[in-house]
Amino acid sequence: MANGKLVKLILHTETVANNLEWKCVDGSYVMQVSAGGVFSKAKAKVHKVPATDSEALKSDLMGLFEKRRCKKFFKFVQNYEPNDPATHKNMNLQRQTGRELFAAFGLEENTIDFIGHAVALYTSDAFLDQPSHDLAMKAKLYMDSIGLYGNSPFLYPVYGIGGIAEGFSRLSAIYGGTYMLNKPIDEILFGEDGKVCGVRAEGEVARAPLILCDPSYVLNLNKARSTGRVIRAICILNHPVPNSDNAPSGQIIIPQRQVGRRNDIYVSFMSSSHCVCSEGYYIAICSTSVETDAPEAELQPAYQLIGDVLVSFIKVYDTFEPTEDGRADNLFVSKSYDATSHFESACDDVLNLWERMMGEPINLETTLRPQVAQPQQVDS
């Protein structure tokens, strides 16, 4: 998201931002299933989420009267300020549920799906029965992101998402970081006080006063619990994604209700415009949370949207979350990556890790300038 947490985090570390080149994702799309009639069958269709007034007028995402109601909703959200009661229109979004907020504007089910999943980026329909303040702020963020760097609310690094890790790696090395690549961790070490004091890897010990890791490193310590499974398929195509107006990049969200699921399905596609593959080819990444014993079959709605696939690489993996906040032993564990393609939930986890480690939230309005670190002791 152009005005979202990931971009703010990278801009916060100014020297990392200087090592990255960004480019707008060309379009955001949502799938809707139109009801069948007497002479027609129900049909799934991909719609571009309008980014301009002219696109909104031409879009067949909703009918004319629904467009008017939807415009009123977005105008309310755009003007909404939590601390200014004059912008609340006699509604209390801290108490009023998302379902009640949509009902106040008379919005239809397909429009609610589109706003909740393709604009506010919720992963399930739970938001409908929760206070609508968060819904309004998420929709406001989406609108603020449109036009910030182009006609799309989403950005993607040139040369791929690995550029973010590469930028942080360069920065860390400059300021004293040491890398031990392809090094299996045999044991996390604890001192007599119960706090971590380092890790053992192939006979070597690296000392550290605190450790950050993903759940896979602490499963034998009972410090992570299962949260489900995710399937992710990386597909190589030799054609544009159908019904995307030959867009070189984009994100498609398939809301759960449209395909009778409990979780959304995500499709993110890129091409040579972002320097991630050769000209004439496309890379589409399809993902969702696993709900059955046949995970690959759950991605069929995504496969039907992207068309013929030259080759695919499919992985199903377990997801976990920490059972402790890490403050007692200085072992701070992240959550596993979920199925989303927009990184908002991953950024929430990063911000949560920072707050647990530092004892206070990070201030993204400032610029973080690293300090030179002293080398850590490594015992043989």
Side-chain angles (χ1 to χ4, degrees):
M1 192 81 80
N3 201 32
K5 296 166 187 170
L6 178 58
V7 173
K8 287 183 177 180
L9 278 169
I10 292 169
L11 292 176
H12 177 70
T13 51
E14 188 179 66
T15 45
V16 174
N18 293 340
N19 287 320
L20 290 173
E21 184 180 351
W22 297 84
K23 187 176 180 182
C24 263
V25 173
D26 291 271
S28 179
Y29 303 83
V30 62
M31 193 197 85
Q32 282 189 356
V33 177
S34 57
V38 177
F39 302 105
S40 62
K41 296 181 179 179
K43 187 172 77 169
K45 184 177 179 181
V46 172
H47 300 268
K48 188 175 188 297
V49 178
T52 64
D53 289 342
S54 60
E55 284 186 358
L57 286 173
K58 296 175 185 177
S59 174
D60 56 357
L61 188 59
M62 59 190 78
L64 179 61
F65 294 111
E66 183 69 357
K67 285 180 181 178
R68 292 177 180 175
R69 292 188 287 267
C70 191
K71 183 178 179 180
K72 289 180 180 178
F73 172 83
F74 280 120
K75 187 175 181 179
F76 166 76
V77 167
Q78 188 68 50
N79 295 330
Y80 176 73
E81 294 293 340
N83 298 321
D84 184 2
T87 66
H88 298 181
K89 302 296 183 183
N90 297 319
M91 291 187 280
N92 185 351
L93 301 195
Q94 299 288 357
R95 292 188 176 183
Q96 198 168 353
T97 66
R99 196 182 304 276
E100 291 168 339
L101 177 61
F102 287 130
F105 289 90
L107 297 179
E108 298 172 356
E109 278 193 339
N110 276 349
T111 306
I112 293 171
D113 260 2
F114 146 64
I115 294 173
H117 295 268
V119 173
L121 303 179
Y122 283 104
T123 59
S124 72
D125 281 344
F127 72 94
L128 290 173
D129 299 309
Q130 296 170 353
S132 54
H133 168 77
D134 189 51
L135 165 65
M137 297 308 293
K138 284 177 177 284
K140 188 180 179 75
L141 169 63
Y142 188 97
M143 296 171 70
D144 290 343
S145 296
I146 293 177
L148 197 60
Y149 298 103
N151 283 334
S152 168
F154 296 105
L155 298 175
Y156 197 82
V158 176
Y159 303 110
I161 204 70
I164 297 177
E166 188 177 342
F168 275 102
S169 299
R170 287 200 198 105
L171 179 66
S172 180
I174 289 171
Y175 287 93
T178 301
Y179 287 85
M180 300 169 70
L181 303 179
N182 196 26
K183 195 84 167 176
I185 299 300
D186 300 322
E187 182 184 6
I188 295 176
L189 304 176
F190 294 85
E192 294 181 358
D193 59 357
K195 297 181 181 295
V196 294
C197 60
V199 296
R200 178 177 288 111
E202 296 182 326
E204 294 183 299
V205 173
R207 301 290 178 184
L210 59 83
I211 293 175
L212 286 83
C213 64
D214 72 51
S216 65
Y217 293 96
V218 297
L219 294 179
N220 62 333
L221 300 176
N222 295 321
K223 290 183 177 291
R225 55 174 165 259
S226 174
T227 56
R229 292 192 299 164
V230 164
I231 179 170
R232 185 168 276 109
I234 301 174
C235 305
I236 300 177
L237 319 176
N238 62 356
H239 58 83
V241 172
N243 301 310
S244 67
D245 294 326
N246 296 325
S249 62
Q251 174 180 255
I252 305 172
I253 293 179
I254 305 174
Q256 56 179 73
R257 192 179 65 85
Q258 301 293 325
V259 286
R261 290 175 48 81
R262 299 190 303 275
N263 296 278
D264 293 352
I265 301 173
Y266 301 89
V267 179
S268 176
F269 62 93
M270 300 290 157
S271 67
S272 59
S273 68
H274 278 83
C275 302
V276 297
C277 59
S278 301
E279 190 170 351
Y281 291 89
Y282 293 76
I283 295 177
I285 304 172
C286 311
S287 57
T288 190
S289 297
V290 175
E291 298 178 2
T292 70
D293 293 329
E296 192 170 352
E298 298 183 42
L299 288 179
Q300 283 305 313
Y303 294 151
Q304 291 169 7
L305 293 183
I306 64 176
D308 295 336
V309 176
L310 288 178
V311 64
S312 62
F313 305 90
I314 301 169
K315 183 177 181 180
V316 179
Y317 54 91
D318 296 319
T319 58
F320 300 89
E321 65 181 9
T323 56
E324 303 170 4
D325 64 15
R327 292 188 177 102
D329 55 12
N330 287 343
L331 178 57
F332 300 95
V333 183
S334 68
K335 295 180 180 179
S336 303
Y337 286 118
D338 62 16
T340 59
S341 57
H342 46 69
F343 299 103
E344 290 298 301
S345 55
C347 289
D348 286 337
D349 192 31
V350 170
L351 295 173
N352 177 264
L353 274 170
W354 173 278
E355 187 169 350
R356 282 190 276 147
M357 288 170 50
M358 308 303 291
E360 60 182 11
I362 191 170
N363 181 6
L364 293 177
E365 303 306 318
T366 63
T367 299
L368 180 64
R369 301 184 188 280
Q371 297 178 347
V372 177
Q374 296 299 317
Q376 295 293 320
Q377 175 187 349
V378 177
D379 300 332
S380 297

